[in-house]
Amino acid sequence: MGKVFDPSLILEFIPTLVKYLGVTLEILVASIFLGTIIGIAAAIPKLFHIPIVKQLVTIYISFIRGTPIIIQLFLVFYGLPAVLSIINIDISRMDALYFVIITYSLSNGAIFAEIFRGAISAVEFGQTEAAYSIGMTPFQNFTRIVFPQAIRVAFPNIANTVIGSLKDTSLAFTIGVMDMMGRGETIIAATAHALEVYIALSVVYYVVVLILEKGFKVFEKYANRYRGTDTSVA
Amino acid sequence: MVIDIPFIWVAFKEIAKAIPLTLMLAIIPVVIGFFIGLVVTLIREYKVKGLYSIANGYVSFFRGTPAIMHIMLIYFGIPMVLDSIINSLNLPYETNKIPIYLYVIFALSLTAGAYLSEIIRSGISSVAKGQMEAAYSIGMSTPQAMGRILLPQALAMSIPNFTNLSVGFLHTTSIAFLVSQKELTGMANIVASSNLKFLESFIAAGLIYWGISIIMEGIYYLIEKRVQQYSKGGVA
Amino acid sequence: MISISNLHKKFGKNEVLKGINIQIDKGDVISILGPSGSGKTTLLRCINYLERPDEGTITIDDVTIDSKKVHKKDVYQLRRKSAMVFQSYNLFQHKTVLQNVMEGLVVVQKVNVKEAREIALEMLKKVGLEQKVDAYPLQLSGGQQQRVGIARALALNPEVILFDEPTSALDPELVGEVLDVIRKISREGITMIIVTHEMNFAKEVSNRVIFMDGGVVVEEGVPNDIFRTPKEDRTKQFLKRMTPELEYSI
């Protein structure tokens, strides 16, 4: 902290940090994508009450929701190589980035599973009955009637999860990933201007979040057009 | 590499000593943040001149940046501000005597305030409009209607969100180890590196967090059941 | 054409249907009357296999299902022969009025989109909603939603349309428009089974009335007989309560 605060450094640091935004976004996009797949896979046993698998999924979700992301990160970072070494696979030299992506995918998967399950149960059963009454199969009912409505219910929560996940990527540096935050730490080590670096980082994160929020809002408005009761009411 | 299962228990006992600090770092900011959130909500609901845009900016920024930034900005920023005040007034204080956990609590209180303001606001918007009108119709003033009619219902409806936020904050305290706090994660880190048993230590820490989270959820569940009895409806 | 025999249904220990036998001919408009809890709605839902009966067979046209051996395929076949109009409309909320009516045609009956659109528009015209084709259900009044529900059922050109208290969820001033639509289509020779509490409507529109109570068919016959000269005491009591203005000899 020794050095005098120099606001001009903030502007100087921002371009350097933005160059590493790509890594941050890579973690985000990969973990949201994989998390969605895990989330769907984990929601199915709960929705269809598949015994044993359902209980296992419940424990998985409870554990993820019950522990900090940083602990999950350390567990994957130290635990995965240990587990895989039992079957003679050595990943101890794997890039830290992949450990981060695995952790965040597992974390998002648990959150998505809960979101999907909640959203699907939120669609009124009358919709399913109507689908059956016109002769649809359960599969047609799910893909054409239930899922499109559920995804709209889930959307605000999904958006929140994406934004939360972006903010969580700021912890990836703790296992040595050179993302925006990691780069920030190296600047601090070199210049000792910690406050300026953190202000610069905050600005970049904030701007990215604002852009994401704006994008989600536009999409949500479009997706919810059928909910408006104020247009063309008889 | 083999997992040393007995060591998990050893680590568990050692790390568990950090539970009080963790709970302090988790609970105090949520309590302070609740009052910040309440004030901010009222400012935003009543569009108080001058403060309105500050309140909006505060909520937006703190919700839009990682909590670790808040801790770092406060941890590095506040001493700088205080030092310049102390130097210019020649006061006999030293900022490096301030314990770090106070910075953490201050930073996380601001974080919690921003999130709680949104929670309280959405709680208020979920209370039917007719409730305020009914309160006015029997002659209540706005503060009376707010305090006796609107807020109690809004807060009761917000309990699930409070639960999520509190558990979330328990987890957020884990980043305090980055400013060398010996809370659960910090302690786990120490136990891990001094015994070179990383996995075992973090398993133990994970179990402790998990346990506290489940207990917290249970407590909130009981509160929710008690508080929301009126909304159960039922056939009369 | 439709035949229901020995239909039984229990919910837990509560036996809601205790052996129902009904024959319905093509073009019949049947009203099912009876106090709440008499099993009318359950009967209707069993005909569409939204509820699975515990015992008995249901035949519509050439599809017969015995509750003892139910195959998925038969259930789909049966549902294709029938269409349901729900008390709470159950329109697909994420689809426009037109899409709601087209959905079954395109997805289930595999009609091509162009043709489906024509059929849907024709049906919407029939229920007087050709102006609202692009509206979403939540933008419509209850009466309009129910008319879309009727159009959705009509579009499938089913052997029978099942109406489950189609006006019970509506504000009184909206009941008329829905009854008018049902009245209109009842003259087109479409077989209909209507569960309703609208006594005057049932009397006017149907050619046969079934009175149910306690899970059994108490009495059935042409409206004039049932409303004017009911034979069973339970029917008399029910009608007395529901239609104090109707006169019948004792």
Side-chain angles (χ1 to χ4, degrees):
Chain A
M1 303 183 245
K3 301 226 171 153
V4 181
F5 181 68
D6 181 356
S8 70
L9 284 177
I10 300 170
L11 289 176
E12 201 174 295
F13 290 153
I14 287 179
T16 319
L17 294 169
V18 168
K19 279 183 203 144
Y20 289 80
L21 182 59
V23 182
T24 298
L25 294 180
E26 190 185 337
I27 300 170
L28 182 68
V29 171
S31 66
I32 294 296
F33 176 74
L34 295 172
T36 306
I37 295 171
I38 298 172
I40 292 169
I44 289 169
K46 294 202 94 178
L47 281 167
F48 295 98
H49 302 286
I50 302 169
I52 302 172
V53 189
K54 182 183 151 187
Q55 277 79 14
L56 290 176
V57 167
T58 305
I59 293 171
Y60 155 62
I61 292 172
S62 168
F63 180 77
I64 296 287
R65 288 171 51 94
T67 50
I69 186 87
I70 201 162
I71 293 287
Q72 294 162 22
L73 192 56
F74 290 156
L75 285 175
V76 170
F77 186 61
Y78 294 111
L80 199 57
V83 171
L84 290 181
S85 72
I86 297 170
I87 50 170
N88 284 323
I89 298 175
D90 181 19
I91 55 162
S92 54
R93 307 226 161 267
M94 189 168 79
D95 192 332
L97 182 69
Y98 298 111
F99 289 104
V100 171
I101 291 174
I102 292 169
T103 309
Y104 286 50
S105 301
L106 287 172
S107 173
N108 287 333
I111 298 165
F112 281 148
E114 285 294 86
I115 293 174
F116 295 157
R117 191 179 59 95
I120 285 168
S121 339
V123 177
E124 273 180 58
F125 195 63
Q127 297 285 310
T128 295
E129 292 201 330
Y132 286 164
S133 82
I134 62 169
M136 284 193 187
T137 62
F139 181 76
Q140 286 169 332
N141 168 48
F142 185 79
T143 52
R144 302 196 54 95
I145 305 301
V146 175
F147 185 74
Q149 296 187 60
I151 203 75
R152 287 166 171 85
V153 176
F155 187 75
N157 289 328
I158 293 173
N160 276 338
T161 307
V162 172
I163 289 171
S165 200
L166 170 75
K167 289 185 272 179
D168 281 345
T169 61
S170 64
L171 297 173
F173 83 97
T174 54
I175 61 165
V177 171
M178 192 48 90
D179 67 336
M180 218 161 54
M181 186 80 177
R183 184 71 184 99
E185 293 293 318
T186 62
I187 298 178
I188 294 170
T191 65
H193 279 285
L195 187 57
E196 293 86 341
V197 168
Y198 287 121
I199 292 175
L201 279 169
S202 301
V203 170
V204 181
Y205 278 114
Y206 187 38
V207 169
V208 177
V209 169
L210 289 182
I211 293 170
L212 283 177
E213 273 178 351
K214 185 78 198 163
F216 288 142
K217 215 169 240 169
V218 171
F219 181 80
E220 196 175 356
K221 210 169 174 186
Y222 167 77
N224 278 333
R225 62 200 182 284
Y226 71 95
R227 292 221 155 262
T229 42
D230 46 350
T231 46
S232 85
V233 176
Chain B
M1 180 173 162
V2 189
I3 300 170
D4 181 355
I5 290 172
F7 186 79
I8 295 175
W9 176 237
V10 176
F12 189 97
K13 285 187 288 187
E14 193 60 28
I15 297 167
K17 289 178 189 159
I19 291 176
L21 178 63
T22 294
L23 288 181
M24 187 177 90
L25 294 179
I27 293 169
I28 296 176
V30 172
V31 173
I32 298 175
F34 177 78
F35 291 103
I36 297 175
L38 210 52
V39 172
V40 169
T41 306
L42 292 178
I43 290 171
R44 294 171 89 194
E45 283 293 304
Y46 288 100
K47 304 212 161 51
V48 179
K49 273 200 193 101
L51 295 175
Y52 177 66
S53 40
I54 296 174
N56 277 342
Y58 156 70
V59 173
S60 164
F61 178 78
F62 275 82
R63 282 167 48 87
T65 44
I68 183 173
M69 293 301 154
H70 313 156
I71 292 180
M72 293 305 186
L73 291 177
I74 296 291
Y75 176 62
F76 288 105
I78 295 286
M80 221 172 254
V81 176
L82 286 181
D83 276 336
S84 63
I85 295 171
I86 289 167
N87 288 341
S88 62
L89 297 177
N90 271 322
L91 296 172
Y93 298 116
E94 282 177 67
T95 51
N96 55 18
K97 293 235 171 94
I98 301 173
I100 297 174
Y101 69 82
L102 285 184
Y103 295 117
V104 176
I105 289 177
F106 184 43
L108 291 183
S109 298
L110 291 174
T111 317
Y115 283 94
L116 280 160
S117 142
E118 285 291 286
I119 290 175
I120 297 169
R121 198 162 82 141
S122 82
I124 286 177
S125 66
S126 65
V127 177
K129 287 233 156 51
Q131 295 291 308
M132 276 303 263
E133 287 172 3
Y136 288 137
S137 79
I138 59 167
M140 283 191 183
S141 66
T142 302
Q144 282 173 329
M146 265 284 193
R148 303 189 60 90
I149 308 299
L150 190 65
L151 280 179
Q153 294 186 56
L155 296 181
M157 284 198 215
S158 305
I159 289 176
N161 286 328
F162 287 142
T163 314
N164 285 338
L165 183 93
S166 303
V167 174
F169 260 76
L170 169 71
H171 300 163
T172 303
T173 61
S174 63
I175 60 180
F177 102 95
L178 295 171
V179 289
S180 50
Q181 288 301 288
K182 288 178 193 155
E183 42 65 69
L184 287 170
T185 305
M187 196 68 115
N189 211 27
I190 292 169
V191 173
S193 37
S194 56
N195 296 283
L196 289 177
K197 298 215 185 273
F198 291 90
L199 185 55
E200 293 81 351
S201 303
F202 291 119
I203 289 176
L207 291 174
I208 296 173
Y209 278 114
W210 195 8
I212 301 176
S213 302
I214 289 172
I215 293 170
M216 267 186 162
E217 277 171 5
I219 293 172
Y220 269 106
Y221 177 74
L222 292 179
I223 296 175
E224 187 178 356
K225 252 174 64 176
R226 179 156 284 216
V227 171
Q228 294 192 340
Q229 256 158 9
Y230 72 88
S231 60
K232 283 275 153 49
V235 193
Chain C
M1 192 204 71
I2 299 174
S3 129
I4 296 154
S5 69
N6 193 29
L7 205 65
H8 287 263
K9 176 70 188 174
K10 266 187 203 168
F11 291 114
K13 283 187 177 162
N14 183 16
E15 191 168 19
V16 182
L17 298 178
K18 299 170 183 164
I20 303 284
N21 296 290
I22 297 174
Q23 299 291 326
I24 294 166
D25 295 324
K26 200 170 177 62
D28 270 356
V29 177
I30 311 278
S31 289
I32 303 180
L33 311 178
S36 332
S38 57
K40 319 177 291 278
T41 291
T42 306
L43 171 62
L44 213 59
R45 291 166 60 85
C46 283
I47 298 176
N48 207 5
Y49 254 75
L50 289 174
E51 300 289 352
R52 184 180 166 163
D54 299 321
E55 209 186 316
T57 59
I58 292 170
T59 305
I60 304 179
D61 204 23
D62 55 354
V63 181
T64 300
I65 303 187
D66 184 341
S67 70
K68 290 283 173 269
K69 37 182 191 291
V70 181
H71 297 292
K72 257 191 203 165
K73 271 209 169 137
D74 297 335
V75 173
Y76 298 144
Q77 286 302 322
L78 187 82
R79 283 182 184 153
R80 285 185 192 198
K81 299 281 178 188
S82 60
M84 185 112 167
V85 173
F86 295 88
Q87 185 177 346
S88 49
Y89 338 128
N90 289 352
L91 297 184
F92 303 129
Q93 313 230 321
H94 60 311
K95 294 189 180 287
T96 63
V97 164
L98 185 66
Q99 287 167 342
N100 259 282
V101 182
M102 287 170 64
E103 188 71 8
L105 290 169
V106 175
V107 178
V108 179
Q109 303 193 349
K110 312 290 181 203
V111 176
N112 73 52
V113 172
K114 191 165 166 278
E115 205 177 319
R117 178 188 301 272
E118 274 165 26
I119 297 172
L121 286 172
E122 190 194 328
M123 295 307 151
L124 285 167
K125 204 168 175 189
K126 199 172 270 183
V127 300
L129 285 173
E130 65 270 34
Q131 309 291 336
K132 295 285 182 187
V133 287
D134 291 323
Y136 285 96
L138 292 182
Q139 296 165 342
L140 301 178
S141 72
Q144 291 171 328
Q145 290 194 53
Q146 192 58 296
R147 281 147 64 196
V148 178
I150 294 169
R152 176 170 72 182
L154 274 176
L156 299 171
N157 193 23
E159 298 292 329
V160 57
I161 301 182
L162 311 166
F163 291 84
D164 182 13
E165 304 193 24
T167 57
S168 295
L170 294 173
D171 292 335
E173 76 269 21
L174 300 177
V175 170
E177 60 183 82
V178 173
L179 294 185
D180 284 345
V181 167
I182 301 174
R183 190 177 289 124
K184 188 171 149 196
I185 59 176
S186 72
R187 297 192 200 109
E188 297 184 2
I190 299 167
T191 315
M192 309 201 295
I193 305 177
I194 309 168
V195 168
T196 184
H197 289 297
E198 301 283 337
M199 293 301 140
N200 286 322
F201 175 73
K203 187 175 170 218
E204 170 205 335
V205 82
S206 40
N207 66 336
R208 201 142 62 92
V209 174
I210 292 173
F211 176 73
M212 282 180 69
D213 192 11
V216 295
V217 173
V218 175
E219 192 169 353
E220 61 170 297
V222 296
N224 256 332
D225 291 350
I226 297 284
F227 283 100
R228 296 205 176 271
T229 55
K231 295 184 188 67
E232 303 291 328
D233 279 346
R234 279 194 277 179
T235 319
K236 286 176 194 165
Q237 280 162 15
F238 175 75
L239 289 173
K240 201 170 181 182
R241 250 186 298 128
M242 296 301 286
T243 56
E245 76 277 15
L246 271 178
E247 283 179 22
Y248 54 89
S249 53
I250 300 175

